[in-house]
Amino acid sequence: MASTMGHKEPSFRESVDLMFNRAVALMDLPPGLEEKIRVCNSTYTVRFGVRLRGQIHTFTGYRSVHSEHMEPVKGGIRYATAVNQDEVEALAALMTYKCALVEAPFGGSKGGLCIDPREWDQHELEQITRRFAYELIKRDLIAPAQNVPAPDMGTGEREMAWMADQFARMNTTDINARACVTGKPLNAGGISGRVEATGRGVQYALREFFRDKRDVDKAGMSGTLDGKRVIVQGLGNVGFHAAKFLQEEDGCIITGIIERDGALYSDDGLNVQAVRDWIVKHGGVSGYPDARHTAEGSAVLEHECDILVPAALEGVINISNADRIKAPLIIEAANGPVTAGADDILREKGTVIIPDMYANAGGVTVSYFEWVKNLSHIRFGRMQRRQEESRHELIVNELERLAESLGSTWSLTPSFKERYLRGAGELELVRSGLDDTMRIAYQEMRNVWHGRDDVSDLRTAAYLVSIGKVAASYQAKGL
Ligand code: NAD
């Protein structure tokens, strides 16, 4: 627990509970149900040894199950040195609320391994990952019908492929083995658009925010996404894709990028792809030629901008810096970047926060599509695409025949024809499903935000919607 000027900063899990409590105080839940929803059902801790570099190294890992009101439970596995039980339980709770909010039919779970993946080479990481997966699989903490992990900080497609393969080796006759984890590479049972999904979801969330002038007014802003000045913290999977899409497709200007080794900033805007390429090659942002650099990365969180996108760690906006944050709009691409104490300060100031449980739900949404794809054993669009194209072709041919028979020179523009004739493949369907999910969930939050006098922020609105859905599920089952 950090402490500043006599104020106590709650831990991550306490922060989630405080935010939960603020919302349930506005609800009328039956006695006991509130507690049942809030508490984490179980956390498994495992310590295992792996022989590496001539000696045995012991690693500590966790898998926490927050709520089993729906199964399987779902949630990423994080590789970081700071992983601990409190963090994993907070993240598992957020998964419960996130899945409910976007109607992905899962309970909430999360896992973590205390490790700095940059300290190990690929072969060593594979051994460690397989051993960790083995421990979880043995206890049904990885299983298609019970618990389905996904990537999170420090893990990606590669680790998911190793886990899926480990499960298949231990369950040789399970025809649905591939559905045991999501976020796999395409050639190992993955789905198009999963890698970019969380960043894409952040983009769709912002687009929906700017569709309603009332929301934009609440942040004291105006106009559309075009020309908005954006600062991003963390240019990893989520931050990179969000920043890239906002820059290339919505006209945003990325004025700051904060990484582990400091921050880059430029009033003219940074080229997101070029910065990412630099990080991949040099291991950090230091030395990047076309921008100013400061070693005091977190100070850039306090720079003037329109939209702040924390996409790295939890707790980066806390009681020690919240009153200096100038952005009128924060979108929590990371989980828990704003502590409960900072949330109070920012709400007072009128800062609008699009909360994590909604803002980064694009990942679990597309993971849900991947899980369905694995269970149905067929790629989305495979049956319909050509049939759809031939029906469109019928209409186009008929229109052109009619025009010709009437002696008209009228014709369809080639670009319209090309776009209209193209049937939807898996990527188009995934994007459509993600866009629809992000819009609908936002609209539900918006209705509560504008519709209730006792709700002044989107986070409380998000909790009200999601807790309502979890409660309804428990009540329907009769607990
Ligand atoms: P990642 O490991 O791909 O990227 C994290 C980035 O943050 C890296 O570039 C890292 O260098 C940077 N970083 C680490 N410490 C930092 C610091 N102190 N200051 C500035 N930058 C720092 O992880 P990710 O998958 O992009 O996850 C980021 C956040 O998004 C996490 O909170 C995660 O829980 C959340 N999230 C991820 C997904 C997903 O699909 N990957 C889904 C939902 C939520």
Side-chain angles (χ1 to χ4, degrees):
M1 263 190 221
S3 171
T4 303
M5 290 186 307
H7 294 287
K8 261 194 174 171
E9 190 83 270
S11 72
F12 187 13
R13 196 171 57 79
E14 287 165 344
S15 261
V16 173
D17 285 351
L18 282 168
M19 292 165 179
F20 174 92
N21 290 342
R22 200 171 71 221
V24 287
L26 307 174
M27 299 177 82
D28 192 19
L29 294 180
L33 184 55
E34 170 187 325
E35 174 78 354
K36 175 71 205 82
I37 296 174
R38 191 181 54 74
V39 297
C40 181
N41 287 6
S42 62
T43 300
Y44 171 66
T45 306
V46 60
R47 293 178 192 86
F48 57 90
V50 186
R51 186 178 292 279
L52 299 160
R53 301 177 192 176
Q55 69 176 89
I56 293 173
H57 293 262
T58 301
F59 297 90
T60 305
Y62 304 91
R63 187 78 182 156
S64 178
V65 175
H66 175 260
S67 174
E68 290 149 296
H69 69 289
M70 283 195 191
E71 284 184 307
V73 293
K74 189 104 191 62
I77 290 186
R78 173 176 288 196
Y79 282 6
T81 44
V83 161
N84 60 72
Q85 182 167 348
D86 184 275
E87 177 186 79
V88 172
E89 290 187 357
L91 290 164
L94 279 176
M95 281 307 297
T96 296
Y97 310 135
K98 189 179 304 184
C99 290
L101 185 63
V102 296
E103 297 193 341
F106 304 122
S109 181
K110 202 82 182 190
L113 187 64
C114 301
I115 184 175
D116 182 350
R118 293 168 307 170
E119 284 179 4
W120 304 96
D121 67 30
Q122 171 152 329
H123 175 68
E124 293 165 334
L125 273 176
E126 180 178 345
Q127 276 181 271
I128 299 163
T129 301
R130 283 186 183 275
R131 185 60 208 279
F132 184 32
Y134 170 84
E135 296 295 335
L136 298 181
I137 293 163
K138 255 191 346 195
R139 292 164 180 86
D140 290 333
L141 290 167
I142 298 181
Q146 268 175 279
N147 198 323
V148 182
D152 195 74
M153 239 167 81
T155 58
E157 289 190 332
R158 185 182 65 175
E159 287 73 17
M160 298 306 113
W162 290 332
M163 288 182 196
D165 185 65
Q166 188 64 33
F167 183 88
R169 287 185 190 191
M170 294 166 70
N171 296 272
T172 48
T173 57
D174 186 344
I175 195 169
N176 293 320
R178 279 186 157 179
C180 73
V181 296
T182 57
K184 302 178 292 294
L186 204 50
N187 58 17
I191 193 168
S192 307
R194 174 60 184 89
V195 175
E196 63 172 52
T198 311
R200 185 65 80 185
V202 170
Q203 175 196 31
Y204 290 161
L206 283 170
R207 284 184 179 175
E208 184 57 26
F209 174 87
F210 279 95
R211 275 192 195 105
D212 194 321
K213 191 173 172 313
R214 292 174 303 167
D215 298 12
V216 183
D217 285 347
K218 276 200 187 244
M221 300 170 86
S222 62
T224 64
L225 267 175
D226 193 28
K228 291 288 180 290
R229 304 171 74 73
V230 178
I231 294 176
V232 183
Q233 183 186 41
L235 211 64
N237 178 325
V238 179
F240 164 66
H241 287 104
K244 182 179 158 78
F245 298 145
L246 289 170
Q247 176 170 69
E248 292 177 359
E249 298 171 16
D250 297 287
C252 290
I253 304 163
I254 311 299
T255 55
I257 291 176
I258 308 165
E259 259 293 330
R260 289 175 203 266
D261 61 333
L264 300 173
Y265 57 103
S266 162
D267 285 346
D268 299 332
L270 298 153
N271 180 326
V272 174
Q273 185 65 56
V275 176
R276 168 78 162 199
D277 293 345
W278 184 271
I279 296 174
V280 170
K281 197 162 171 205
H282 301 276
V285 290
S286 305
Y288 180 76
D290 300 323
R292 281 185 284 173
H293 175 266
T294 170
E296 278 294 301
S298 55
V300 175
L301 290 169
E302 300 164 21
H303 281 197
E304 296 270 3
C305 66
D306 297 306
I307 306 170
L308 184 59
V309 189
L313 307 170
E314 55 261 20
V316 292
I317 301 173
N318 47 54
I319 52 175
S320 72
N321 64 356
D323 57 352
R324 294 194 303 276
I325 300 289
K326 298 188 189 67
L329 177 62
I330 299 173
I331 180 158
E332 295 182 325
N335 283 306
V338 176
T339 64
D343 195 59
D344 290 339
I345 297 169
L346 291 164
R347 222 167 341 109
E348 286 273 296
K349 283 207 318 184
T351 309
V352 172
I353 301 176
I354 304 180
D356 46 8
M357 81 167 76
Y358 165 72
N360 64 39
V364 74
T365 301
V366 177
S367 275
Y368 167 40
F369 302 156
E370 180 178 333
W371 181 72
V372 171
K373 175 186 180 181
N374 292 152
L375 295 178
S376 58
H377 300 268
I378 188 164
R379 159 167 58 79
F380 287 107
R382 183 164 178 179
M383 303 297 275
Q384 310 91 319
R385 183 176 186 165
R386 302 300 164 195
Q387 202 262 353
E388 193 189 331
E389 287 181 356
S390 53
R391 289 176 70 86
H392 285 182
E393 203 175 353
L394 272 180
I395 294 181
V396 165
N397 290 345
E398 190 63 6
L399 283 173
E400 288 182 339
R401 193 193 60 76
L402 265 173
E404 206 182 315
S405 72
L406 294 169
S408 162
T409 56
W410 175 89
S411 69
L412 296 164
T413 61
S415 79
F416 171 82
K417 214 165 130 177
E418 201 265 321
R419 279 189 294 145
Y420 186 67
L421 285 179
R422 197 180 333 120
E426 185 168 81
L427 186 60
E428 288 81 16
L429 293 169
V430 163
R431 286 190 184 155
S432 157
L434 175 60
D435 193 8
D436 187 57
T437 304
M438 296 307 290
R439 287 192 205 207
I440 289 179
Y442 188 93
Q443 286 157 11
E444 286 187 76
M445 292 191 306
R446 176 187 281 144
N447 289 342
V448 175
W449 192 25
H450 294 297
R452 286 184 63 153
D453 292 338
D454 53 357
V455 176
S456 63
D457 64 314
L458 275 169
R459 192 188 311 278
T460 308
Y463 270 102
L464 284 176
V465 173
S466 66
I467 296 167
K469 290 185 186 192
V470 178
S473 162
Y474 272 122
Q475 281 167 319
K477 286 200 308 191
L479 200 65

